[in-house]
């Protein structure tokens, strides 16, 4: 049985209300799940249900109010070098070229310059940016910058990748290309990933499992195992006639039909 890489045990997160003497806002509550080694799990749910809050807790940027978040069996108490975070915006440093941006995390960790350069160039080649290492972020398209952000995320060799809607700002065609790149890279490297998205088809196309969250306070209301072949090839999964029933079930759980009527 694969090792558990990321685990939440009865996690809750509360935020102080901006209103004086008001009760705290409970973002997530009684949240328990795990992600196994090499697995890709997507989180979907209504806006405001605590998906991004959960990633913040997993990365150690924000502590849980109750319960435990563990990476490789160790409680997360602060930023963790075994976890890497990829956000909606690429957040590349404009004064550094693309290779230097990819090297940034390795530089912080004190890795030698020659080693940093070799790792960065190798990852840029895998992310289909071998000819753009010396370019600057403003010289790249949005999709290319997200590829560079993925290379930067992978450069520190994390055990777990946390991805917060990394393709949401891209057009539909570029998004599908980047999904293909991400899926291939995750399959080749055997990385574990927790992926937040509002795109139901994206969740199914990329994942081994989809966890559906409730309205705030967020909790997991259903776990759906995706039994469609070719997780490393989301384009083929999108073409599968099997995808329809998964989308229909997710729409039912999220009450999307009721919202539209």
């Amino acid at each position: 049985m694969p090792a558990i890489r990321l685990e939440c045990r009865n996690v809750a997160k509360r935020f102080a209300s901006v209103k004086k003497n008001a009760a705290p806002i409970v973002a997530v509550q009684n949240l328990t799940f795990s992600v196994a080694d090499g697995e890709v799990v997507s989180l979907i749910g209504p806006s405001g249900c605590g998906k991004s809050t959960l990633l913040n807790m997993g990365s150690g940027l924000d502590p849980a109010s109750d319960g435990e978040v563990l990476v490789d069996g160790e409680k997360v108490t602060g930023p963790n070098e075994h976890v890497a975070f990829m956000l909606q915006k690429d957040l590349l440093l404009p004064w550094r070229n693309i290779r230097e941006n990819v090297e940034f995390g390795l530089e912080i960790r004190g890795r030698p310059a020659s080693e940093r350069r070799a790792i960065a160039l190798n990852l840029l080649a895998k992310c289909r940016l071998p000819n753009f290492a010396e370019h600057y972020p403003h010289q790249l398209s949005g999709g290319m910058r997200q590829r560079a952000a993925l290379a930067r995320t992978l450069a520190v060799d994390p055990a777990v990748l946390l991805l917060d809607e990394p393709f949401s700002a891209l057009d539909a065609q570029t998004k599908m290309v980047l999904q293909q790149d991400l899926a291939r890279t995750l399959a080749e490297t055997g990385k574990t990933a927790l992926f937040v998205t509002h795109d139901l088809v994206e969740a199914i196309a990329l994942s081994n499992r989809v966890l559906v969250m409730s309205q705030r306070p967020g909790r997991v209301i259903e776990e759906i195992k995706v039994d469609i072949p070719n997780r490393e090839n989301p384009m083929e999964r999108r073409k599968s006639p099997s995808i329809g029933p998964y989308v229909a079930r997710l729409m039912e759980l999220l009450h999307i039909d009721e919202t539209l009527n």
Side-chain angles (χ1 to χ4, degrees):
M1 187 173 179
I4 299 299
R5 287 291 194 184
L6 175 66
E7 187 174 8
C8 290
R9 297 178 181 171
N10 298 313
V11 168
K13 181 62 183 179
R14 293 181 294 275
F15 295 98
S17 174
V18 295
K19 296 180 180 179
K20 189 176 181 179
N21 299 323
I25 296 169
V26 183
V28 298
Q29 186 171 278
N30 299 328
L31 198 59
T32 297
F33 68 90
S34 61
V35 185
D37 185 40
E39 194 176 26
V40 179
V41 173
S42 283
L43 278 176
I44 68 164
S47 294
C49 73
K51 300 184 295 295
S52 295
T53 296
L54 178 58
L55 295 192
N56 287 336
M57 291 188 288
S59 66
L61 296 176
D62 204 4
S65 301
D66 295 312
E68 294 181 315
V69 181
L70 302 101
V71 172
D72 287 342
E74 295 185 7
K75 184 176 179 179
V76 176
T77 58
N80 189 317
E81 67 177 13
H82 302 296
V83 176
F85 211 157
M86 184 173 173
L87 303 171
Q88 298 175 33
K89 295 182 179 180
D90 58 73
L91 298 180
L92 297 174
L93 301 174
W95 60 88
R96 297 177 69 120
N97 66 34
I98 298 304
R99 174 183 54 78
E100 291 167 342
N101 266 284
V102 175
E103 292 180 20
F104 186 62
L106 297 169
E107 186 178 332
I108 290 174
R109 295 183 183 185
R111 303 283 280 275
S114 59
E115 183 182 348
R116 297 197 310 261
R117 184 184 183 91
I119 291 171
L121 292 176
N122 179 55
L123 284 169
L124 286 172
K126 286 184 177 180
C127 291
R128 298 192 292 147
L129 291 171
N131 300 320
F132 294 90
E134 305 307 315
H135 286 62
Y136 285 81
H138 74 273
Q139 297 174 306
L140 273 61
S141 69
M144 295 166 77
R145 289 197 300 268
Q146 282 300 86
R147 284 200 195 104
L150 175 60
R152 180 185 57 192
T153 304
L154 293 168
V156 294
D157 194 25
V160 177
L161 277 74
L162 303 177
L163 304 123
D164 192 357
E165 298 192 79
F167 310 135
S168 61
L170 303 174
D171 64 85
Q173 183 176 340
T174 303
K175 178 188 284 193
M176 285 191 283
V177 172
L178 267 291
Q179 288 169 356
Q180 197 81 357
D181 288 346
L182 174 64
R184 185 192 69 249
T185 302
L186 291 175
E188 288 175 354
T189 58
K191 295 296 182 185
T192 303
L194 183 62
F195 190 95
V196 165
T197 180
H198 283 96
D199 185 331
L200 307 188
V201 175
E202 180 175 69
I204 297 161
L206 288 172
S207 308
N208 299 95
R209 288 183 294 134
V210 179
L211 302 180
V212 184
M213 293 180 67
S214 68
Q215 294 276 0
R216 188 175 68 238
R219 56 187 177 82
V220 175
I221 57 174
E222 187 158 326
E223 173 189 312
I224 297 174
K225 183 179 179 182
V226 182
D227 288 320
I228 305 176
N230 300 321
R231 194 205 78 190
E232 72 284 355
N233 191 339
M235 208 73 77
E236 287 302 311
R237 276 190 164 190
R238 282 176 172 271
K239 298 175 186 176
S240 171
S242 302
I243 204 166
Y246 286 100
V247 173
R249 179 57 181 158
L250 293 177
M251 290 177 66
E252 180 183 3
L253 289 166
L254 296 172
H255 307 292
I256 291 175
D257 287 336
E258 296 173 18
T259 303
L260 294 175
N261 290 331

